[in-house]
Amino acid sequence: AYRGRLDVLGTQSLVVYHPMAVPGSQGQLVIFVGIPEKDIQSLRNLFTKKTFYKTGYSYCFGSKGKYVLHQQADKEGALVGLDSTQLADMKTTGKGLIEFDPDQSGETTWTYYEYYAPYDLFVAISVKESEFMNAPMNSIRNVIGIGFLLAIVVGLGGIYWQIRSVTVPLTQ
């Protein structure tokens, strides 16, 4: 028995099939139901509109490691870049975080994924490690910088008032 996604005559479909023995013969019968995936464009629009940090994105891929839905439509059907052992481990754990380089660009990407067994599909969000690590650091640096400038202004104002309180009586 199988339940999942298959390419049926060039159309991605959600399918269920079940082999059955034919009583009184050596043959087998297969009961098959396949429904073409519908409205993938609306899903693509939903996935491509949302970004995470600057360039992070969401996508789907099947348990065999091929993109099903991606920001770049030309990647659909291409391999994700994970080997069969990694994919099997991901399927077993169901959800988690992996670090890998999907584009072989030399930059590590953090990918959060969740496996949906009824569709034999992973939904994932990928963010480049540099963006993920730099975003909080940039915020902290900005807060420290603004705090430092504020401290200088307050300090100079305090010094001005101290000097003024001494020099005003001397000038009279």
Side-chain angles (χ1 to χ4, degrees), residues 61 63-64 82-98 113-115 122:
F61 59 96
S63 66
K64 300 219 182 335
L82 299 167
D83 63 39
S84 59
T85 305
Q86 290 171 305
L87 289 165
D89 290 344
M90 291 168 60
K91 195 172 178 179
T92 302
T93 58
K95 60 179 159 181
L97 165 70
I98 56 171
Y113 67 88
E114 187 161 342
Y115 177 67
F122 290 95

Side-chain angles (χ1 to χ4, degrees), residues 118 135-136 153:
V153 168

